Amino acid sequence: MAVQTRRAAIVGGNRIPFARSNSRYARASNQDMLTATLDGLVARFGLQGAQVGEVVAGAVLKHARDFNLTRESVLGSRLSASTPAYDVQQACGTGLEAAVLVANKIALGQVESGIAGGVDTTSDAPMAINEDMRRALLAVNSAKTVQQRLKALAGIRPGQFLPEVPRNSEPRTGLSMGEHAAITAAEWEIGRAEQDELAVASHRNLAAAYDRGFFDDLVTPYLGLSRDENLRPDSSLEKVATLKPVFGKGDGATMTAGNSTPLTDGASAVLLGSDEWAASKGLPVLAHLVDAQTAAVDYVHGGEGLLMAPVHAVPVLLARNGLTLQDFDLYEVHEAFASTVLATLKAWEDAAYCKDTLGLDAPLGPVDRSKLNVNGSSLAAGHPFAATGGRIVATLAKLLHEAGPGKRGLISICAAGGQGVVAILES
Amino acid sequence: MSDWYRDFANSGVGTTITRQLGLPRPAVLRRYEPGQPLLPGPAVVGSAGAGRLGNRLTALLRDAGVAVQSLGAADVEDGERPAAVLLDATGLTGPGDLAGVHAFLAPAVKRLRRSGRVLVLGDPPTGAESPAQAAARQALDGLVRSVAKELRDGSTANLLLVPARTEESLAGPVRFFLSGRSAYVDGQQVTLSGAAGDVAQDELRPLAGTVAVVTGAARGIGAAIARTLHRDGAVVVVVDLPSAGDHLAEVANGVRGTALQLDISREDAGQRIIDHAVQRHGRLDIVVHNAGITRDKLLVNMDPARWESVIGVNIAAQLRINETLLASEHFRTTPRIVSVASTSGIAGNRGQTNYAASKGGVMGMVRATAPLLGAHGGSINAVAPGFIETEMTARMPFATREVARRLNSLQQGGQPTDVAEAIAFLASDAAGGISGEVLRVCGQNLVGA
Ligand SMILES: NC(=O)c1ccc[n+]([C@@H]2O[C@H](COP(=O)([O-])OP(=O)(O)OC[C@H]3O[C@@H](n4cnc5c(N)ncnc54)[C@H](O)[C@@H]3O)[C@@H](O)[C@H]2O)c1
């Protein structure tokens, strides 16, 4: 079979507003949110009863019952029940990775259309019984006689009832993501003021985008929320400057609740297809997914920061596409923490780091800050892990479309486990 | 929402009690369902004077599968009771001829079935040849409104004015008035102004092949309009505020249409509506301006914000969108616009100076825009609902709502579908002969009749 590839088109997106943890969506499950998000997408693009090639989505925090989360959501949605689906999970990279997977199948002609998405809830997060209890219960389950069973049950101790709450921490270091980011922030000497500035800009830009109706065809209200709950349009440098650091140690600590993303609940979905498919359905093409790259770093022993993998992925992507870092009209760098964005930009400008760590002849150079996260990002919108990729892809695709044909955008998303997913979109 | 009193009055005990006490007896109205015969029984056709429509009426009724009973008043004593009484009064020359109206209607109406229809066809007084003829023609208006008030059991009476050279477009409106689609239209008058009306090839899907946009469709009357247009065969684009997007998505998915989250008061609303309809569905044929808001206050206490928001959404936005539509090459083949006005805009309402002004404005706009659409073979009309059972009216205090509901000849509130049926009719080619009209769907509201 001759392999001919084509660029997958991004038709549009839908997400529900992101809610703060244990707030509006406290009672909504991942499946509820993903289903509602799919239905909103169906309504926007008239896909009732339609079979799309594949739906690919995932969640970072997942219940055991959600083993087939995406397919179950499809079955509960207004899409045709004969639409196949599968789950993916790559921590905070899940949403973008899902889009890349769908785009690749479209590029290869294996599907004509697909939906990529992601969802996460930190309110309805799974809680596991602790390891001792699990072993004790497994023993009860495997006991053959009543006597054996009673004996096994009698072995259960009060301490075993304590549940294991999922923590936002790295299994191999025991450090939270914020603590890791704080180490990187200190290493790269990222100051408090510049982090606060980035955070305030994120809120202002997101609020302005809402006000000009930018999200009218990207967001569908859910459970009484029609804008992201975390958004503070009146956020100011003075206000965020008063917040106490929550990550990092001592006087040098710079990371506060204001310049770090809060725990959030939400879901997003992006509709992709071949150009021909979009045209045959009368659907718009906002942009194309040109290429993507993942990378991973050894943050355990290798001395690299946990969230620095995108810094490594981007030069590979640029080289393959014959582009420089300055060849973009827009940049979307996921704001896990303000310091992460700033460290990323600083690293690309650092000649020694680019030579020694990235193995480049010259630094990638600066990113024009006026082209960065122009409609806000995760600091303002919030960051329901797997849902962030879909939010960014749809937002950037629409921005590029508004800017006119031939505009190029770069997406960079860091993820737990020392991973990163980056991609290029072009209108 | 449910009307407990109507249900009670139609129950076994309720019938006895309400009869004995002389209480209102709201009927369960005959409403349209696809596939239903036009009338549940025969029609009687008569005339006063030498009318010019009699044969046409009989023919169009037979075409519609209706049995027509003999023309003479004397015969109606025997046979099946009529489901409709039609009077051709286009032959009136002076008040003396009105005796013929009485002579025909009295015995015929007496035998009318439940949810029956009285439809009188006349000429507009303005074109009369003499003051006496104008008097007789105008007399029909008062007469029909009075008959409507006397009818019981869900029956209605309406007047259709058929100026010369509009006869070709008669069939659609006659069918509408006889059908269950006009269940809550009572005591009204509609004037034909063109000959372009055409009954649908596919009776079950009169809007097949058209693309329609409905604003304010996330709930209430707008959602009912979307469902009705979809039932009638249109591809429907539903529009509502971004903040109502979740309900809007449900409506869109229910009618297999597309949702457009848009504040209609935005500058570019018209263009966005056209772009969406044309890109997604290839064309745009029908626009229903239903989105509307109320911000009630007595005039003396009304702040500018209340005033401006109501004028802004209810009339300014419609005007601006219409301007864009009329300038667009995509809205040129029999384009149809239907606007939702309100009886408040006709009769006025305490605490609603802003709202009544805006709805009065809608009626003015419709009349003045009719020739502009006529240039493209299209039409524009308004529907003025009276008391309709929606979330909006469900929030009224109990006693006020009970009173408001009964203050009409049908002694009940209308359903959102009643408004929707009138709009679907006006959006169809069957109503091609009607433009610049305001049709009230109010059960003959006693206020400001
Ligand atoms: N219910 C009645 O008894 C009654 C009587 C007379 C007239 N009306 C008219 O009928 C229409 C529908 O009334 P309803 O009872 O269904 O009201 P409703 O309030 O239930 O629905 C109106 C819809 O319009 C939407 N809307 C408001 N402003 C908008 C804007 N700027 N852009 C887009 N959408 C907007 C709302 O979100 C809502 O979904 C209105 O024009 C109203 O004035 C209603």
Side-chain angles (χ1 to χ4, degrees):
Chain A
M1 188 187 79
V3 179
Q4 257 198 335
T5 64
R6 52 187 179 177
R7 285 178 176 179
I10 296 157
V11 169
N14 182 49
R15 67 180 180 94
I16 55 176
F18 295 165
R20 292 180 74 101
S21 191
N22 289 312
S23 171
R24 297 294 187 94
Y25 304 166
R27 285 163 187 280
S29 68
N30 275 336
Q31 192 180 321
D32 293 339
M33 290 192 286
L34 186 55
T35 307
T37 302
L38 290 174
D39 275 343
L41 193 75
V42 166
R44 185 159 299 145
F45 296 105
L47 300 174
Q48 300 87 5
Q51 183 189 333
V52 297
E54 217 156 45
V55 180
V56 184
V60 173
L61 296 178
K62 232 166 143 179
H63 290 268
R65 64 164 188 258
D66 284 341
F67 64 94
N68 219 357
L69 172 67
T70 309
R71 172 64 181 149
E72 289 301 327
S73 301
V74 167
L75 284 173
S77 79
R78 293 296 303 259
L79 288 167
S80 158
S82 55
T83 298
Y86 65 93
D87 284 25
V88 290
Q89 194 186 63
Q90 195 176 32
C92 310
T94 303
L96 181 55
E97 188 64 273
V100 172
L101 292 169
V102 171
N104 286 350
K105 280 207 183 181
I106 292 169
L108 287 175
Q110 293 171 348
V111 295
E112 285 303 312
S113 63
I115 295 171
V119 55
D120 256 297
T121 167
T122 48
S123 310
D124 185 39
M127 224 184 252
I129 49 176
N130 71 36
E131 195 57 17
D132 282 358
M133 178 63 127
R134 194 176 68 87
R135 284 181 204 283
L137 288 178
L138 282 173
V140 174
N141 200 37
S142 62
K144 300 228 158 48
T145 67
V146 175
Q147 262 173 339
Q148 280 174 348
R149 195 162 290 183
L150 285 175
K151 195 170 157 227
L153 275 173
I156 293 177
R157 298 279 167 267
Q160 292 172 331
F161 281 101
L162 287 178
E164 232 166 57
V165 184
R167 298 205 314 135
N168 187 8
S169 72
E170 288 300 322
R172 286 172 193 280
T173 60
L175 295 180
S176 75
M177 196 176 273
E179 285 160 339
H180 269 288
I183 295 171
T184 307
E187 270 173 21
W188 284 95
E189 295 172 348
I190 307 296
R192 166 78 184 262
E194 45 179 334
Q195 295 180 45
D196 285 353
E197 269 168 38
L198 191 88
V200 170
S202 186
H203 283 276
R204 296 233 169 117
N205 289 340
L206 184 67
Y210 268 109
D211 288 344
R212 76 176 169 96
F214 181 81
F215 291 109
D216 283 4
D217 59 358
L218 292 176
V219 174
T220 304
Y222 185 59
L223 301 183
L225 212 56
S226 47
R227 287 187 178 197
D228 305 308
E229 201 179 8
N230 190 54
L231 174 60
R232 301 276 174 275
D234 54 353
S235 159
S236 71
L237 278 176
E238 297 73 51
K239 269 189 233 168
V240 293
T242 62
L243 298 169
K244 291 225 157 44
V246 289
F247 300 116
K249 294 195 188 71
D251 288 347
T254 55
M255 292 174 49
T256 69
N259 57 39
S260 312
T261 52
L263 290 178
T264 329
D265 305 338
S268 67
V270 180
L271 178 62
L272 297 105
S274 66
D275 286 346
E276 302 75 41
W277 181 82
S280 74
K281 302 279 174 198
L283 294 171
V285 172
L286 301 181
H288 289 96
L289 200 151
V290 176
D291 198 2
Q293 177 70 38
T294 57
V297 296
D298 184 359
Y299 64 99
V300 186
H301 308 291
E304 181 58 290
L306 174 73
L307 302 178
M308 294 296 275
V311 179
H312 295 246
V314 164
V316 179
L317 185 66
L318 293 178
R320 187 163 64 234
N321 288 274
L323 295 169
T324 72
L325 186 57
Q326 289 69 43
D327 289 338
F328 293 88
D329 302 281
L330 292 167
Y331 303 83
E332 287 286 336
V333 182
H334 160 50
E335 298 168 341
F337 304 91
S339 65
T340 311
V341 178
L342 295 166
T344 299
L345 301 184
K346 208 164 175 180
W348 283 331
E349 290 185 48
D350 191 295
Y353 176 88
C354 284
K355 182 161 181 289
D356 301 340
T357 308
L358 301 181
L360 304 173
D361 298 335
L364 294 186
V367 162
D368 180 347
R369 291 287 294 273
S370 70
K371 299 175 177 173
L372 174 70
N373 299 348
V374 295
N375 276 355
S377 187
S378 305
L379 285 168
H383 170 42
F385 313 118
T388 290
R391 173 184 69 74
I392 292 179
V393 170
T395 298
L396 180 61
K398 182 171 172 185
L399 278 167
L400 293 170
H401 182 67
E402 283 183 345
K407 301 290 176 189
R408 206 178 285 127
L410 178 69
I411 301 175
S412 162
I413 295 180
C414 58
Q419 306 206 81
V421 190
V422 302
I424 298 172
L425 306 190
E426 197 176 295
S427 57
Chain B
M1 72 164 293
S2 79
D3 183 343
W4 64 272
Y5 180 81
R6 186 201 56 206
D7 296 343
F8 167 73
N10 284 288
S11 68
V13 211
T15 306
T16 320
I17 295 178
T18 50
R19 280 227 169 98
Q20 281 175 358
L21 296 179
L23 290 174
R25 298 198 24 75
V28 176
L29 304 181
R30 168 166 67 90
R31 291 194 164 88
Y32 173 74
E33 272 164 37
Q36 189 180 62
L38 182 61
L39 282 171
V44 182
V45 180
S47 71
R52 60 182 199 282
L53 299 176
N55 291 340
R56 205 180 271 276
L57 277 178
T58 306
L60 80 84
L61 288 170
R62 295 214 162 109
D63 276 355
V66 175
V68 179
Q69 290 186 340
S70 56
L71 295 170
D75 301 321
V76 290
E77 290 301 329
D78 352 290
E80 238 187 311
R81 289 172 61 183
V85 173
L86 292 95
L87 172 69
D88 173 11
T90 52
L92 299 180
T93 54
D97 295 340
L98 291 170
V101 175
H102 169 249
F104 168 73
L105 284 182
V109 168
K110 191 168 185 186
R111 292 176 37 78
L112 192 64
R113 296 182 188 219
R114 309 174 62 84
S115 283
R117 298 285 187 265
V118 174
L119 184 61
V120 176
L121 298 102
D123 280 304
T126 40
E129 281 166 10
S130 66
Q133 191 175 43
R137 290 178 175 182
Q138 185 72 44
L140 291 176
D141 184 40
L143 181 139
V144 170
R145 288 178 198 269
S146 303
V147 172
K149 290 188 177 181
E150 290 179 10
L151 290 173
R152 288 290 169 262
D153 296 330
S155 293
T156 63
N158 292 288
L159 175 62
L160 184 59
L161 298 181
V162 190
R165 287 179 298 280
T166 64
E167 295 87 353
E168 292 296 328
S169 60
L170 192 61
V174 169
R175 286 192 190 203
F176 169 74
F177 279 116
L178 299 187
S179 75
R181 288 179 185 265
S182 67
Y184 201 60
V185 180
D186 194 12
Q188 299 310 307
Q189 162 188 317
V190 166
T191 306
L192 300 184
S193 53
D198 202 2
V199 294
Q201 298 297 314
D202 182 353
E203 253 181 76
L204 287 177
R205 296 166 52 81
L207 299 178
T210 64
V211 174
V213 171
V214 183
T215 69
R219 62 179 207 184
I221 294 172
I225 296 168
R227 292 187 190 110
T228 305
L229 297 182
H230 165 67
R231 180 204 66 195
D232 282 357
V235 170
V236 183
V237 175
V238 291
V239 177
D240 209 299
L241 290 172
S243 59
D246 40 354
H247 300 290
L248 188 69
E250 265 180 57
V251 175
N253 286 342
V255 302
R256 301 177 81 93
T258 52
L260 175 59
Q261 299 184 168
L262 172 70
D263 180 342
I264 57 152
S265 52
R266 294 179 64 97
E267 270 318 308
D268 60 348
Q271 198 52 49
R272 280 168 72 169
I273 285 171
I274 295 168
D275 290 348
H276 180 104
V278 172
Q279 179 176 41
R280 301 296 184 74
H281 308 290
R283 54 191 295 147
L284 176 57
D285 306 281
I286 298 162
V287 173
V288 180
H289 291 300
N290 163 77
I293 56 172
T294 52
R295 297 283 183 274
D296 297 359
K297 269 280 178 206
L298 292 178
L299 174 70
V300 293
N301 301 328
M302 176 100 51
D303 52 292
R306 277 196 167 76
W307 187 269
E308 278 152 26
S309 59
V310 168
I311 300 292
V313 173
N314 292 5
I315 177 65
Q318 293 196 15
L319 277 166
R320 196 162 44 232
I321 292 171
N322 285 357
E323 251 174 55
T324 313
L325 289 171
L326 284 162
S328 167
E329 53 176 332
H330 296 294
F331 202 58
R332 291 278 158 86
T333 35
T334 56
R336 304 211 185 277
I337 298 176
V338 188
S339 281
V340 179
S342 168
T343 48
S344 294
I346 301 170
N349 206 5
R350 190 183 142 85
Q352 291 199 319
T353 47
N354 52 354
Y355 181 76
S358 73
K359 294 299 189 180
V362 166
M363 297 182 242
M365 170 192 79
V366 158
R367 288 189 190 107
T369 311
L372 305 179
L373 278 141
H376 304 298
S379 65
I380 177 170
N381 292 285
V383 166
F387 181 94
I388 305 297
E389 308 276 1
T390 63
E391 279 175 55
M392 193 172 93
T393 49
R395 281 198 299 273
M396 290 166 73
F398 175 81
T400 322
R401 186 176 68 233
E402 262 317 296
V403 172
R405 253 182 190 163
R406 309 286 163 228
L407 279 184
N408 59 71
S409 297
L410 295 170
Q411 300 175 328
Q412 57 191 295
Q415 295 297 322
T417 53
D418 296 330
V419 180
E421 293 288 6
I423 287 173
F425 163 63
L426 291 171
S428 73
D429 290 347
I434 303 174
S435 195
E437 289 286 286
V438 177
L439 177 61
R440 290 170 48 180
V441 181
C442 65
Q444 198 178 26
N445 210 324
L446 303 186
V447 188

